[in-house]
Amino acid sequence: MQLIPAKEEMKITKIYTHSGENGLIYSLHKNPIFFEIDRVVYPSVYILWQYPYLVPNFTTWPEVFKKIAGGADLMLPGVIARGQITPTTFGNLQKGDICSVNLNGNRAPVAIGTAAMSGSDMFESGMRGKGVHMIHMYGDELW
């Protein structure tokens, strides 16, 4: 799998977030591919449209995305799980792992964030509480 063609020119842009953090945006053909905040590199929604299974994924409802786009984190009651929830439903997901969010019926991710708790903690919480801290989403300033 080649995310970035070998002979393509990548543009790097230094940014300062509204919260005062320094960051870098790595762009290819004017499209943000990756971004870096506090020395952690995240994939953009754009690159995840091409490689949707690059990071663990959570599925939610379109109505929930409206709340996420307004600044909310993804809450676990809004997660759609296929089948019964077990301690291994989310694999070996750890707190802080990069993950994406897609909408029911469409595998293309619409948001990127970090896991608010481990997969086993999600199960033990009874699927209550925050699931994903949102960082970037379709339609935001990075997009």
Side-chain angles (χ1 to χ4, degrees):
M1 168 172 61
Q2 187 175 6
L3 294 175
I4 304 166
K7 295 187 179 188
E8 295 291 335
E9 184 177 322
M10 181 164 283
K11 184 177 180 181
I12 301 172
T13 306
K14 189 172 187 176
I15 61 165
Y16 300 98
T17 66
H18 73 280
S19 60
E21 298 169 306
N22 294 325
L24 297 172
I25 300 172
Y26 302 90
S27 302
L28 185 64
H29 305 290
K30 298 184 180 182
N31 294 311
I33 304 298
F34 297 99
F35 62 99
E36 180 179 338
I37 303 289
D38 289 333
R39 300 181 189 252
V40 178
V41 177
Y42 300 92
S44 70
V45 169
Y46 179 81
I47 195 70
L48 288 180
W49 281 7
Q50 296 173 35
Y51 302 96
Y53 302 110
L54 195 60
V55 296
N57 189 326
F58 290 89
T59 301
T60 192
W61 303 102
E63 295 78 20
V64 173
F65 180 69
K66 293 175 188 173
K67 302 236 186 251
I68 292 171
D73 288 329
L74 177 63
M75 303 301 284
L76 289 174
V79 172
I80 301 170
R82 306 289 179 224
Q84 184 176 0
I85 305 287
T86 68
T88 59
T89 297
F90 303 107
N92 61 354
L93 184 72
Q94 297 300 310
K95 180 178 181 178
D97 283 357
I98 299 169
C99 48
S100 65
V101 177
N102 71 310
L103 302 180
N104 190 40
N106 187 345
R107 69 182 180 102
V110 294
I112 305 296
T114 58
M117 59 179 86
S118 70
S120 60
D121 288 343
M122 290 178 185
F123 170 76
E124 290 173 15
S125 74
M127 293 300 287
R128 288 179 173 59
K130 286 187 182 182
V132 179
H133 295 293
M134 297 286 92
I135 297 172
H136 157 56
M137 67 208 62
Y138 172 77
D140 67 7
E141 293 298 318
L142 178 59
W143 178 257

